Amino acid sequence: MSSIYDLHTHTIFSDGILTPEELALRAHSKKVDCIALTDHDTTQGLAAMRHYCVLHNIQFVPGVEVSAVWRNITIHVVGLQIDEKNVALQQGLEHIREQRTRRSRLIAEKLERAGIANVMPDIVELAGTDAATRTHFARLLIQRREVRDMREAFKKYLGKKGKAFVSGEWAELTLVLKWIVEAGGYPVLAHPARYNMTRTKMHELLKEFKAMGGMGIEVATSSHNITEKKHAAEFAQHFDLYASVGSDFHTPANPRVDLGQNLSLPDTCKPIWTLWNA
Ligand code: AMP
Ligand code: MN
Ligand code: MN
Ligand code: MN
């Protein structure tokens, strides 16, 4: 039987709700053989995750999901097999977290103008940091019964057309790729279908991504339907990129997304793990 890989997951160190210990235990129970922890803009959870993966006999891939910008569009780049001790990478991530802090305050101000008071203290409690993500704001809005669910939180407040939308000032894509490559990692374009780009624009992005040192693209991910998976596999082939797979797991409360589920790759794909399993 072939191994189960899941190379895109989150813990409490960004917007996931499990600890590394709980994530590794769940991966074990879902029969995942190899897992990458890829929290947003931080490597804080990697040491603990490595420890618990060893306990459960799971192959561990140190990773990070970096928030980047390309032509004014927010792009997520997953870095796999990074050396988390790399200084340039850590300085870059710290800069992004400072931008998150700045943005958190602006989102809180906008929410207060919309009549939702005293947001920042609760966000810091929920996120454990003021460098929060929009997921944390969404959870707070649900807790306070301002909205019914995540969907409504993003539609009404946090998404592009929402009342409290603030765009993130992330790092330039070229810089992000440089940090990942210099830290010995493999840069992977996360969930390509999520950017709502035309085919032409996606081709421009991938051409530059590849030229700047990009190595892979997520083909199998929970945010792709069958058609989107097929398109991503075609992009991988066209640009000679390795294919990655990842659930983008955040929480056990979402029954549609779980560790290692529905992540099969089309036959045309070169799996990214052949880079380190050789
Ligand atoms: P941020 O990086 O702070 O802008 O937050 C982005 C995170 O918000 C993503 O990683 C997702 O986990 C979550 N997210 C974005 N859009 C949605 C949405 N429409 N519904 C639920 N979660 C979302
Ligand atoms: Mn997230
Ligand atoms: Mn993402
Ligand atoms: Mn993610």
Side-chain angles (χ1 to χ4, degrees), residues 65-82:
E65 181 175 17
V66 188
S67 309
V69 62
W70 175 78
R71 295 192 192 170
N72 261 327
I73 305 167
T74 293
I75 301 289
H76 287 177
V77 182
V78 163
L80 297 175
Q81 300 289 20
I82 49 156

Side-chain angles (χ1 to χ4, degrees), residues 72-131:
N72 261 327
I73 305 167
T74 293
I75 301 289
H76 287 177
V77 182
V78 163
L80 297 175
Q81 300 289 20
I82 49 156
D83 169 13
E84 71 247 49
K85 290 189 206 76
N86 183 274
V87 174
L89 173 67
Q90 288 301 341
Q91 283 173 348
L93 295 179
E94 188 165 338
H95 174 78
I96 297 177
R97 293 195 300 271
E98 283 162 15
Q99 288 303 316
R100 284 198 173 278
T101 299
R102 181 199 64 90
R103 186 179 68 150
S104 291
R105 297 200 181 111
L106 295 174
I107 294 174
E109 277 172 28
K110 286 197 172 180
L111 287 172
E112 295 193 8
R113 258 178 268 146
I116 301 163
N118 219 11
V119 169
M120 237 13 239
D122 286 8
I123 282 296
V124 173
E125 181 162 342
L126 260 174
T129 166
D130 51 8

Side-chain angles (χ1 to χ4, degrees), residues 138 142 147-159 256:
I142 294 167
V147 296
R148 279 182 302 267
D149 52 24
M150 296 293 276
R151 215 184 118 93
E152 192 183 350
F154 276 87
K155 193 167 151 64
K156 208 165 159 190
Y157 293 103
L158 302 165
R256 290 182 306 279

Side-chain angles (χ1 to χ4, degrees), residues 8 10 14-16 38 40 65 76 100 133 135 139 191 194 248-250:
H8 186 156
H10 296 274
S14 62
D15 56 353
T38 57
H40 295 286
E65 181 175 17
H76 287 177
R100 284 198 173 278
T133 71
T135 313
R139 290 196 191 122
H191 41 60
R194 284 263 291 272
D248 206 359
F249 178 87
H250 286 73

